[in-house]
Amino acid sequence: MDINSDQKFKELMNDCKTEIPVPINFQSEVWNRIATREQGRPSSFWSEIEQFFQTFFGRPQYAAGGLIAVFFISIAAGQFQLKTLADHQSISLQNRYIASIDPYTMSQRSK
């Protein structure tokens, strides 16, 4: 690109600029309209729940307590699931053991 053409381009761009006057209270009016719309909105159940969590867990001590509670609830759920799995496995092992020492059951298995 040539320096002269670059200068011409800048002059053309400067000539195309338009100045549109903005009303004096433009920003405050926009914020007032936003605030009016926010107040007029009916609050839903989920927005109330979200608001509760934002205010409650916004404090560090409550957030830490919530994390600890979720941690222990997760541990308890894992223990419950593990116990159920262990019970099923124990019953399966008992049935296999009985089948291995009971000749009648062994003969039924081979057929």
Side-chain angles (χ1 to χ4, degrees), residues 92-102:
S92 175
L93 288 174
Q94 288 173 2
N95 290 338
R96 284 192 210 168
Y97 176 71
I98 291 172
S100 71
I101 62 171
D102 185 8

Side-chain angles (χ1 to χ4, degrees), residues 17-32:
K17 283 186 182 178
T18 58
E19 293 286 328
I20 300 174
V22 179
I24 296 171
N25 296 330
F26 180 74
Q27 279 189 328
S28 63
E29 287 178 18
V30 170
W31 285 111
N32 286 337

Side-chain angles (χ1 to χ4, degrees), residues 22-66:
V22 179
I24 296 171
N25 296 330
F26 180 74
Q27 279 189 328
S28 63
E29 287 178 18
V30 170
W31 285 111
N32 286 337
R33 277 190 246 147
I34 291 171
T36 304
R37 286 186 185 162
E38 290 285 325
Q39 290 173 354
R41 254 187 224 161
S43 60
S44 68
F45 173 74
W46 293 112
S47 65
E48 293 293 326
I49 296 294
E50 180 184 4
Q51 183 66 28
F52 169 75
F53 279 113
Q54 285 178 354
T55 56
F56 187 74
F57 290 115
R59 299 178 183 162
Q61 64 270 24
Y62 293 142

Side-chain angles (χ1 to χ4, degrees), residues 1 11 16 18 23 33 42 45 52 54 61 63-64 66-67 78 80 84 86 88 94 102 107 110:
M1 247 182 148
E11 288 174 7
C16 292
T18 58
R33 277 190 246 147
F45 173 74
F52 169 75
Q54 285 178 354
Q61 64 270 24
L67 281 174
F80 176 74
T84 305
H88 287 296
Q94 288 173 2
D102 185 8
S107 66
S110 62

